[in-house]
Amino acid sequence: MVSALYGAVESGLIYAIMALGVYISFRILDFPDLTVDGSFVTGGAVASVMIVGGTNPIVATLAGAVAGLIAGLITGLLHTKGNINPLLAGILMMIALYSVNLRIMGQPNIPMLNETTLFTMLSSWWMNLNIDQLFMAPFEWLGMASFAPRTFYIIVSMIVIVLVVKKLLDFFLRTEAGITLRATGDNQSMVKSFSTNTNLYIMIGMGLSNALVALSGALVVQFNGFADVNLGVGMIIIGLASVIIGEVLFGKDKIIRMTLAVILGSIVYRAIYSLALRVDFLEASDMKLITAIIVISALVIPNSLEKSRAKREFKKSKQRAALNREQEGEVQHASAK
């Protein structure tokens, strides 16, 4: 159980970067972007091809993010300059990227088990520090050493990477450009009235969104040890699930809190998914069903609770009004005597 949850935290942190990208398009820009399913693979495809070709993994990972940036800019261009519906623009780009990704990879699957990836570099650096025992101490103290992972380098390194991405995103969204981007998503007509080029900010937001998605894809293929052209299928649903779960559980009042909520939502989603797969009658092939159930629950349960709360408040207000009327009647009756 503990090892499964640890693995969920690892993968949740990696996919959290993708969820932050989805948050930008769906929540900040209010743009239903299905490019995500394609750009996620694009980031992994570019990174894997470059790594197999001998490129430094850090450079390859950043190149994957740049490829996602370009894909997002094209989606934004299709919408702003081509006047194509946002949903249709994303679908068209997702379809186009499937062929583009195959062209980049040259084959449906690229193994990287014997290649030097970002995670193998981090592993070598971590082993030289020789600090795994420090992280193992709490498990030994609790008598759970057998449940502890063999090494902590993935979770520690991913916490650092995700926090850096979060801090940079928080900083950008609080700049003048970031505030204008958020305003564009809230009320595009109002922003246009100030003679601001909203089309430019839509393209910037879409580019940034898909750059983060592709960065996550580049990290995932290195974490898995292979790249696959079908790796991005259903990725938009996973991203939405992370965003929705984060909003429900951790709130959404401020940007700093919301980006943290998205990250935690990604981890919670992976933990739920990991625990669900431990149920006897569920299998790995049920992943999409589990994801759908999680998203539906995250959407329906809060709404049901809110309606129940509203009904209780309405009933209490009626009772208070009736009590006030009764008290007023008693006062009038007493004054009449």
Side-chain angles (χ1 to χ4, degrees):
M1 179 71 75
V2 175
S3 59
L5 290 176
Y6 178 81
V9 173
E10 286 182 345
S11 57
L13 286 168
I14 298 175
Y15 283 98
I17 300 175
M18 180 270 296
L20 287 171
V22 172
Y23 167 69
I24 293 173
S25 58
F26 272 82
R27 282 293 187 258
I28 293 182
L29 278 179
D30 194 23
F31 194 113
D33 182 29
L34 297 184
T35 310
V36 170
D37 282 15
S39 59
F40 184 85
V41 181
T42 302
V46 171
S48 61
V49 168
M50 293 182 70
I51 288 172
V52 171
T55 306
N56 183 284
I58 298 176
V59 175
T61 302
L62 294 177
V66 172
L69 172 69
I70 295 171
L73 289 174
I74 295 174
T75 302
L77 192 65
L78 289 174
H79 170 59
T80 57
K81 299 301 182 182
N83 294 320
I84 299 176
N85 177 274
L87 183 62
L88 182 57
I91 293 173
L92 290 171
M93 196 60 198
M94 176 185 67
I95 294 171
L97 284 176
Y98 184 84
S99 296
V100 171
N101 294 334
L102 274 175
R103 282 281 188 173
I104 293 172
M105 296 171 65
Q107 56 189 10
N109 188 287
I110 297 179
M112 294 189 296
L113 294 176
N114 297 320
E115 303 294 337
T116 300
T117 65
L118 181 63
F119 288 101
T120 58
M121 290 176 59
L122 289 171
S123 176
S124 300
W125 171 77
W126 182 264
M127 294 306 173
N128 290 333
L129 293 177
N130 197 28
I131 56 175
D132 263 329
Q133 190 59 37
L134 179 65
F135 289 89
M136 185 69 74
F139 287 92
E140 293 178 345
W141 182 74
L142 293 171
M144 301 175 62
S146 59
F147 297 100
R150 289 178 296 177
T151 180
F152 293 83
Y153 83 91
I154 294 178
I155 193 168
V156 173
S157 58
M158 281 312 307
I159 287 175
V160 173
I161 293 172
V162 170
L163 286 179
V164 169
V165 172
K166 172 187 160 42
K167 288 294 184 182
L168 290 174
L169 182 59
D170 290 342
F171 172 77
F172 169 73
L173 292 175
R174 286 182 291 175
T175 62
E176 183 177 348
I179 292 171
T180 306
L181 177 68
R182 290 154 55 189
T184 299
D186 287 336
N187 193 331
Q188 192 173 152
S189 299
M190 182 196 71
V191 177
K192 281 183 178 179
S193 68
F194 291 102
S195 301
T196 302
N197 187 353
T198 56
N199 289 343
L200 174 62
Y201 284 95
I202 289 174
M203 291 181 62
I204 291 173
M206 295 304 299
L208 178 59
S209 169
N210 284 279
L212 291 176
V213 171
L215 175 60
S216 178
L219 292 171
V220 166
V221 297
Q222 295 176 74
F223 178 73
N224 292 340
F226 69 92
D228 190 280
V229 74
N230 294 312
L231 192 63
V233 175
M235 204 52 57
I236 184 63
I237 301 300
I238 295 174
L240 280 174
S242 302
V243 172
I244 293 168
I245 291 171
E247 288 178 346
V248 171
L249 296 181
F250 306 105
K252 53 180 179 179
D253 53 347
K254 295 181 180 179
I255 286 294
I256 295 177
R257 182 174 179 178
M258 187 60 225
T259 51
L260 178 61
V262 171
I263 294 169
L264 296 176
S266 177
I267 296 173
V268 171
Y269 164 77
R270 282 288 157 182
I272 295 172
Y273 172 69
S274 177
L275 293 174
L277 287 180
R278 297 177 70 86
V279 178
D280 292 336
F281 63 88
L282 292 176
E283 300 177 359
S285 59
D286 296 322
M287 176 181 178
K288 305 304 178 187
L289 175 62
I290 296 170
T291 300
I293 293 173
I294 292 173
V295 174
I296 292 170
S297 301
L299 288 170
V300 172
I301 293 175
N303 289 334
S304 300
L305 293 176
E306 182 63 26
K307 287 180 179 179
S308 299
R309 188 190 66 79
K311 286 181 179 179
R312 289 196 300 270
E313 289 295 328
F314 180 71
K315 186 180 292 185
K316 288 180 180 178
S317 64
K318 287 182 66 177
Q319 291 174 347
R320 285 194 295 267
L323 181 60
N324 289 335
R325 287 194 299 269
E326 184 179 342
Q327 290 175 344
E328 289 174 0
E330 291 176 353
V331 170
Q332 292 175 356
H333 181 70
S335 59
K337 288 182 178 181

